[in-house]
Amino acid sequence: MRICGPIVTVTFIYLLIGIDVTVFHFIAGWSIICEICYYLFYPFLRRCLKTYHAWIWAFSLSLIPTLFSFIEYPINLVNYPGVGPIYVIFLGFPCWILGVLLCYKIELNKSQPTYALLLSFRVGIFIIALATHILALQEIIGHPFTLNIFAVFAFFWLKLEILYYKSMKAIRFGEVLGKSSYSIYLMHGLPFHILLMLELNFTDKFYTFIAYWILLIPLTAIFFFLVERPFHKIASRIKNTHARMLALK
């Protein structure tokens, strides 16, 4: 409900304004299909992988498709969907497993991470993200070959964020952005189509960039409050109702 509800709504929006749905799939839909598949696999994996170390082994094995992709696909392949609808599921699996590993209990060390250390990690992860994106856009090394390597760095960065904010109050603005990240992801391809429909062709790319964000921010806010958050509430109600029914048995 949390995942499918918003993506079905976005698909309907694309159809309503006359945009080819395959465009949405290429921009964002493919990764959500992957995520749905992983959640379907999860109950089976949970039965087989009962410890943290077992998930570490699973992560190691899940990297095999990434290594094989260096042989099977051209290294300058820019985007994930280029490997096909089936192989992309296996290619994105390591990222999802790292997310599972983050869900395990993280114990605070004797000394809490300092803000200086956290800031250095943030700067480092930004530089790595920028570098991999430039490599992909310049068609030197595509995202299918770098994303799982980047994911390892992101794992340790996010783990540090969790450790730091276990005892520190989170920034309100950052929390709001985090909660609306799914809406940002679903909406991020739409402003370009709106600019094309309005025939706003800026000669300076800087103005295109500004116009893009002027559209994206309100679109994300509207979608989050009118679509994503209501689906979250519905999903929570279903979960709580199911839990109460189980408790009565």
Side-chain angles (χ1 to χ4, degrees), residues 97-145:
I97 292 180
L98 287 173
V100 174
L101 289 171
L102 275 176
C103 292
Y104 273 81
K105 187 177 180 181
I106 299 176
E107 297 290 348
L108 277 171
N109 298 322
K110 291 181 180 179
S111 58
Q112 182 190 356
T114 62
Y115 184 73
L117 178 63
L118 180 62
L119 188 61
S120 65
F121 265 73
R122 289 174 178 174
V123 172
I125 206 72
F126 175 79
I127 292 171
I128 295 169
L130 183 63
T132 56
H133 195 53
I134 290 172
L135 287 171
L137 291 179
Q138 295 298 316
E139 297 187 4
I140 299 171
I141 304 176
H143 289 306
F145 309 97

Side-chain angles (χ1 to χ4, degrees), residues 112 115 122 164-172 175:
Q112 182 190 356
Y115 184 73
R122 289 174 178 174
Y164 182 80
Y165 284 108
K166 269 198 167 186
S167 56
M168 299 294 291
K169 187 176 180 180
I171 300 168
R172 178 63 180 165
E175 285 189 323

Side-chain angles (χ1 to χ4, degrees), residues 19-225:
I19 300 172
D20 190 348
V21 177
T22 57
V23 173
F24 170 68
H25 174 77
F26 186 81
I27 294 172
W30 66 270
S31 67
I32 300 167
I33 291 171
C34 289
E35 191 172 358
I36 291 170
C37 290
Y38 303 149
Y39 281 118
L40 291 173
F41 298 159
Y42 181 71
F44 171 75
L45 292 171
R46 183 71 184 270
R47 290 179 184 177
C48 300
L49 307 171
K50 297 182 180 180
T51 65
Y52 185 86
H53 289 95
W55 280 101
I56 292 288
W57 275 105
F59 170 73
S60 301
L61 292 173
S62 72
L63 289 172
I64 293 173
T66 302
L67 298 174
F68 184 72
S69 64
F70 282 88
I71 303 170
E72 185 66 19
Y73 299 98
I75 200 166
N76 60 350
L77 182 67
V78 176
N79 292 311
Y80 257 59
V83 301
I86 303 299
Y87 199 79
V88 72
I89 296 171
F90 295 98
L91 201 59
F93 198 36
C95 292
W96 182 80
I97 292 180
L98 287 173
V100 174
L101 289 171
L102 275 176
C103 292
Y104 273 81
K105 187 177 180 181
I106 299 176
E107 297 290 348
L108 277 171
N109 298 322
K110 291 181 180 179
S111 58
Q112 182 190 356
T114 62
Y115 184 73
L117 178 63
L118 180 62
L119 188 61
S120 65
F121 265 73
R122 289 174 178 174
V123 172
I125 206 72
F126 175 79
I127 292 171
I128 295 169
L130 183 63
T132 56
H133 195 53
I134 290 172
L135 287 171
L137 291 179
Q138 295 298 316
E139 297 187 4
I140 299 171
I141 304 176
H143 289 306
F145 309 97
T146 59
L147 187 58
N148 285 328
I149 299 170
F150 169 79
V152 176
F153 290 100
F155 170 81
F156 288 105
W157 161 57
L158 290 172
K159 186 175 181 180
L160 196 68
E161 292 276 359
I162 294 168
L163 285 169
Y164 182 80
Y165 284 108
K166 269 198 167 186
S167 56
M168 299 294 291
K169 187 176 180 180
I171 300 168
R172 178 63 180 165
F173 179 69
E175 285 189 323
V176 172
L177 282 178
K179 289 178 180 179
S180 62
S181 59
Y182 186 40
S183 292
I184 295 172
Y185 185 64
L186 291 177
M187 290 285 104
H188 82 277
L190 197 56
F192 287 120
H193 295 290
I194 294 174
L195 290 174
L196 288 173
M197 289 169 64
L198 296 174
E199 297 182 353
L200 294 174
N201 299 316
F202 298 101
T203 54
D204 193 329
K205 289 185 178 180
F206 176 75
Y207 293 117
T208 304
F209 177 80
I210 296 298
Y212 172 84
W213 281 100
I214 288 173
L215 285 171
L216 181 61
I217 292 170
L219 282 173
T220 298
I222 292 168
F223 189 84
F224 175 73
F225 287 110

